[in-house]
Amino acid sequence: MSDDPSSAETSQAPINTLVMRQLVKYLESEKEKGRSHVLLDADARQVLRHLSSRPSAKQLDNSTAPITTPAPSIKKIMIAPNKADTIDPLGLDPISPSLSKTKQLAQLEQQLRGWLTGNFPQSLRQTLVFSSGSPDGRIMLIGEAPGHEEEKALRPFEGPAGKKLDKILEAMGLNRNEVYVTNLVKFRPATPRQTTNNRKPSVAEVAAFMPVIREEIRIVRPQCIVTLGATPLEALLQTDSTVSSMRGSWHQYDGIPVRVTYHPSYLLQSGESTAVKRMIWEDMLAVMEKLGMEISAKQRGYFLPNS
Ligand code: URA
């Protein structure tokens, strides 16, 4: 990010207008995806303050005219902490496929521990939260990143969203030990003066961990992957499509069927809406069908209106 006035691309009102439009567009798309919080850096917040002090910030969407009121001289908005942008993808030592799945995963976990000592980015915290469940699980569920509760328990999906996930699995006739549960990012994203608050991992943080999730998928080789929420969907299927547009059909990752569904915290945020419950449940029914699991009439009818 530059605010150097000598730069040809900065400080011009039309460019600032573009930046503001991009920020508004970004915030609208996040809202559409069901996100209620985003982390913005100081420059983005400055742009928002500028927008809210203008008489009709909404006109921005339609306006092509340069803004005449003084605007912050910013050419690019960073959505994540700056340091995260310098993370290199994690270089992994090869893991022998002839070892058992448990041993291969243990080696992968060990490499992540080693990564802590040297080149670990400041934007992530230091406690490794690797995965839980069975490496022989037929279903691999992928979330975003650990939060406060997960960091305390050293296991993914421990807080309210985790309890919801347990309920979903229970409705399928499964428990955590029969599936493999993991996150894209294995360390809790940090925030200034952090207590129990969590944040979504940045694009750069997710990118740094892609070699790890790829390796986990290679090792576990599940019969089906379920992505929970927008972040694993975007990362794994390399798309910026929304969960609502991608759920309801099958996708593929390296020949493995992928079912996209909402994150359990979206269900919580929706006030446990029956409509959201039913959509998640339909995705889970599709998974059960794909795996040839028995489905009772009662299970088929869960969360239908008037059921
Ligand atoms: N949300 C996630 O995506 N993963 C967790 O482990 C907890 C909450």
Side-chain angles (χ1 to χ4, degrees):
M1 180 172 320
S2 163
D3 54 9
D4 171 7
S6 64
S7 158
E9 284 177 275
T10 56
S11 305
Q12 303 302 310
I15 292 175
N16 286 322
T17 310
L18 181 67
V19 164
M20 288 183 221
R21 282 205 193 94
Q22 281 171 344
L23 178 59
V24 170
K25 204 167 151 212
Y26 167 76
L27 293 173
E28 281 171 354
S29 80
E30 290 300 287
K31 195 169 158 200
E32 197 191 301
K33 286 179 202 163
R35 292 206 180 107
S36 58
H37 292 76
V38 290
L39 191 82
L40 299 175
D41 73 352
D43 288 338
R45 291 198 299 274
Q46 196 189 347
V47 170
L48 280 187
R49 272 195 294 277
H50 173 74
L51 276 177
S52 63
S53 69
R54 286 163 49 78
S56 58
K58 277 197 169 172
Q59 286 171 358
L60 207 61
D61 269 350
N62 304 323
S63 157
T64 49
I67 288 175
T68 48
T69 53
S73 63
I74 297 162
K75 74 170 176 184
K76 188 173 156 228
I77 303 255
M78 308 297 299
I79 305 301
N82 294 346
K83 282 179 190 137
D85 273 19
T86 62
I87 305 172
D88 285 330
L90 183 58
L92 293 171
D93 294 335
I95 297 173
S96 167
S98 61
L99 295 172
S100 70
K101 287 183 179 186
T102 306
K103 284 204 174 126
Q104 290 186 63
L105 287 171
Q107 282 196 4
L108 185 59
E109 184 173 354
Q110 195 50 38
Q111 291 194 40
L112 288 177
R113 283 190 202 289
W115 202 40
L116 277 175
T117 50
N119 45 359
F120 204 75
Q122 304 276 311
S123 69
L124 296 175
R125 290 165 63 99
Q126 301 281 301
T127 305
L128 175 63
V129 181
F130 190 62
S131 66
S132 69
S134 166
D136 295 317
R138 295 198 292 161
I139 306 173
M140 181 175 196
L141 297 122
I142 307 178
E144 187 170 84
H148 170 67
E149 301 278 353
E150 290 73 27
E151 193 184 53
K152 265 198 307 183
L154 304 178
R155 261 172 39 121
F157 285 96
E158 278 293 314
K163 295 203 169 41
K164 215 17 83 191
L165 183 60
D166 285 338
K167 288 271 172 215
I168 295 167
L169 292 173
E170 194 185 314
M172 297 168 80
L174 295 170
N175 65 48
R176 284 273 192 122
N177 299 328
E178 293 170 288
V179 294
Y180 184 85
V181 182
T182 194
N183 280 312
L184 284 177
V185 173
K186 310 292 197 236
F187 298 87
R188 180 180 168 208
T191 67
R193 294 177 300 283
Q194 190 165 26
T195 53
T196 56
N197 53 317
N198 299 318
R199 77 164 164 85
K200 171 184 153 55
S202 69
V203 171
E205 287 161 348
V206 170
F209 278 86
M210 284 311 287
V212 181
I213 195 75
R214 283 193 210 109
E215 200 57 355
E216 270 177 297
I217 295 172
R218 180 196 63 73
I219 295 168
V220 174
R221 198 76 205 163
Q223 288 175 23
C224 170
I225 293 172
V226 177
T227 57
L228 301 168
T231 309
L233 151 68
E234 288 163 8
L236 219 60
L237 299 183
Q238 291 290 293
T239 174
D240 51 15
S241 303
T242 58
V243 173
S244 37
S245 65
M246 297 288 275
R247 61 165 294 280
S249 56
W250 285 101
H251 306 277
Q252 288 231 340
Y253 175 86
D254 194 21
I256 301 171
V258 177
R259 200 76 185 185
V260 167
T261 198
Y262 294 106
H263 196 284
S265 54
Y266 177 67
L267 176 55
L268 294 171
Q269 278 165 24
S270 76
E272 308 235 8
S273 129
T274 310
V276 177
K277 274 187 191 164
R278 180 66 198 179
M279 285 189 281
I280 295 179
W281 184 240
E282 280 169 6
D283 295 326
M284 295 307 113
L285 283 174
V287 169
M288 291 171 78
E289 267 164 13
K290 177 69 96 191
L291 299 185
M293 290 167 66
E294 212 167 291
I295 306 177
S296 67
K298 189 172 164 201
Q299 278 174 315
R300 285 207 186 273
Y302 283 162
F303 315 119
L304 280 176
N306 308 321
S307 67

